[in-house]
Amino acid sequence: MPDDRASAPPESTPKPDSGVNGAGPDSGAGEAGAARVAVLLPLPLERPYDYLAPPDLVLAPGAVVRVPLGGREAIGVVWDREPGGRRVPAAKLKTVLARFDVPPLSGDQRRFIDWVANYTMAPRGAVLRMALSVPAALDPPRPQIGYRMPEARATGDGGPGPAIRLTPARQRVLAEAKDAAPRTLSGLARAAAVSPSVVRGLHAAGLLEETEIGAPPPFARPDHARAGPRLSPEQAAAAAELRVRVAAGAYTSILLDGVTGSGKTEVYFEAIAQALERGRQALVLLPEIALSAQWLERFAARFGSAPALWHSDLTAAQRRATWRAAALGQARVVVGARSALFLPLRELGVIVVDEEHDPAFKQEDGVIYHARDIAVVRAHLLGIPIILASATPSLETMVNVETGRYAKVHLPDRHGGAAMPSVELVDLRRDRPVKLPGLGQSWLSERLRGAMTATFEAGEQAMLFLNRRGYAPLTLCRACGHRLQCPNCTAWLVEHRLAGKLQCHHCGHLAALPQSCPSCGAEGTLAACGPGVERLAEEISILFPKARSAVMASDTLTGPGAAAHLIQAVQAREIDLLIGTQIVAKGHHFPHLTLVGVVDADLGLYGGDLRAAERTFQLLHQVAGRAGRAERPGRVLLQTAEPGHPVMQALAAGGRDEFLRVETEVRASHGLPPFGRMAAFIVSCPDSAPLDRFCRALAGAAPRAEGVVVLGPAPAPLAMLRGRHRRRFLLKTRRDIPPQGVIKMWLEGLKIPPKVRLQIDINPYSFL
Ligand code: ADP
Ligand code: ZN
């Protein structure tokens, strides 16, 4: 592992004149410490490099700078000097070129980056890269060109008469421009209902002049003083408690524990209002930001304007504007996916993690981290409160509440007196779906079909939940048994009938559905096995031809606009039945939806994952929570082949706390997280021979100590992914032994061969 001392960048041939002001290196000054700065680059490097500061530049830690690197230029951040560094002679150092005109990364932010790097064992520069993810945002936006009437003409005194004929279109432009602030070309053209060429023509003729206009502030200021909805006494009490903690401005973690529909969002809006009132920024992490149209509407209703958004669907221009606005404090509330945690928010006063239990908060590639966990770290380093909201908190969070590390604020009831839905188990072993004429295998039990009929007859809406995209998860040849498999992964190809394709859900590999079996050549023998949401939709069109149904899955929606559109259609009751994957589970509020059918409740239960039961419970509970959110009571039917399973029993009986208690006991007795620690190695390579050799070397060097267990190497369940062979190691340590130190010792002296990749996943959530 690299040590923590600064050094000179590679190829550091001194170039005395590379400073902005032409300043040379302080070779004469020798060890004049002030002129030396450590600069961390957003590259996979652990250590900052030493540079010289030009005498006229104040370069305090945190300053964002441009530096020479090899033959090119790079951005970097002046880092804190760590003690005991080996000194590179000043004559060998290059000079910082310039400082960007953005606020420096604050000390707490640098500590946060250090912390995340140490914890995840990712190179520090790779973590910095997440904070400096939009280099273009470091430069001020180019001023816009505006058009206005020259003063002499506007006041009507003097100037020669127009050199061009004043057509009605031109007259309209001049009328718009008279006595008005300068506007952009497109803005002025739009206002006058002409094409931009008309405006250009008037400028060429001297009737309009150009001027620079500053960019408008990208985000309106949310108004914390606007009245929110009238809170129920329980909500008001919860909100008051959160407000007090935000006003105190010290670190606390608070679980906002409330059943689905209890108004958690409205309540944490009060905490945000309090932060805004104190002149602080707020950050809200949502697991599925692209699908949160309803959330955004409610935010706008409460605060009078939209928040800044941060997620992967933003355009380059939006990312730039948002990063800058976050850094300059113009964006007061940022709502984002997990990566929003790395935005340089300088005045952060509260963090909210909504649906804190959601697996989407785990980042699985690059720097591997859990956004909820490091959000707590960021709040701690900053000394601000963090609110974790959920109807089904994670076991880890519940344990933290029980041990007193986290506070808890509770909302026991649904808002407006709506009752919790009744949850019934449908035993698939008894009420087995039959074969239907003209359809083949059905996936809906008679009881579920009956409930759907009754729902539609009552003019209400239903939802079918099946966590499987596409038409069928497996296609197999009835003649020879051959299964269609991804050439790059250990995975079946999933048929997507709407798109007319087979797709690998791991690497995205696409293929056409073959006419004959690729193995035995038989024709017409390929059969779809098992249901996906598309197949369910086909069944519905036969069973309920009059029902207006729609499929909602990540691949059937083309962008956030499509999701918002579909959600609106459900709200407007233009759709009777929504068929969806887990994206229908998230936060939507459909007042007329009274029936939820879970087609295969057992789907997530197996696979040897220590959180499988917990996650299934959380997901199904959340899906169930879509039913009966207004006056009419809701009903949930779970089709399961294992009605006796503790997850099914807990869902049917509403026994969340009892379920978690039993799960907690199991984890504690086996020393599983959070009672013990875990780390996974995923070792991969396109060729298996060097991979196996390296795995043997790793196994040979595996630590042997009290409280430390190493399992592996074992082929990963996804033994092949994107053409790479994969092996896994699992390291388990006692709670008082941080795995990072063990791993450092383990890897010391081991050389990772070329082409072999070693990913370290501290506290893994995926075991594939
Ligand atoms: P949760 O996040 O706990 O599931 P929400 O915050 O989404 O609950 O609230 C559920 C629904 O009830 C939303 O439509 C919300 O606007 C509404 N609601 C909650 N509290 C109030 C209130 N005090 N006044 C009016 N509407 C409310
Ligand atoms: Zn694949």
Side-chain angles (χ1 to χ4, degrees), residues 144-150 169-203 207-211 213:
Q144 289 184 305
I145 302 295
Y147 290 84
R148 67 172 174 207
M149 205 172 264
R170 287 176 178 145
Q171 282 173 19
R172 279 206 303 281
V173 175
L174 293 178
E176 281 292 334
K178 192 167 160 62
D179 302 326
R183 266 178 285 184
T184 59
L185 182 67
S186 56
L188 184 53
R190 225 185 357 257
V194 301
S195 80
S197 62
V198 179
V199 178
R200 276 196 217 99
L202 286 167
H203 172 244
L207 296 178
L208 291 177
E209 66 178 11
E210 286 183 349
T211 174
I213 50 178

Side-chain angles (χ1 to χ4, degrees), residues 229-232 235 258-266 298 415 587 589 629:
R230 209 191 153 90
L231 298 180
S232 71
Q235 291 175 333
V259 296
T260 51
S262 57
K264 294 186 288 297
T265 317
E266 306 295 347
R298 283 165 62 185
H415 171 71
H589 185 70
R629 289 171 66 104

Side-chain angles (χ1 to χ4, degrees), residues 228-232 235 256 258-269 294-295 298 354-355 389-391 411 413-416 571 587-591 625-626 629:
R230 209 191 153 90
L231 298 180
S232 71
Q235 291 175 333
L256 175 57
V259 296
T260 51
S262 57
K264 294 186 288 297
T265 317
E266 306 295 347
V267 168
Y268 71 63
F269 278 173
Q294 282 188 333
W295 191 99
R298 283 165 62 185
D354 202 352
E355 310 289 7
S390 177
L411 293 172
D413 302 310
R414 282 193 154 176
H415 171 71
Q571 281 175 321
H588 310 302
H589 185 70
F590 300 129
R626 298 311 107 207
R629 289 171 66 104

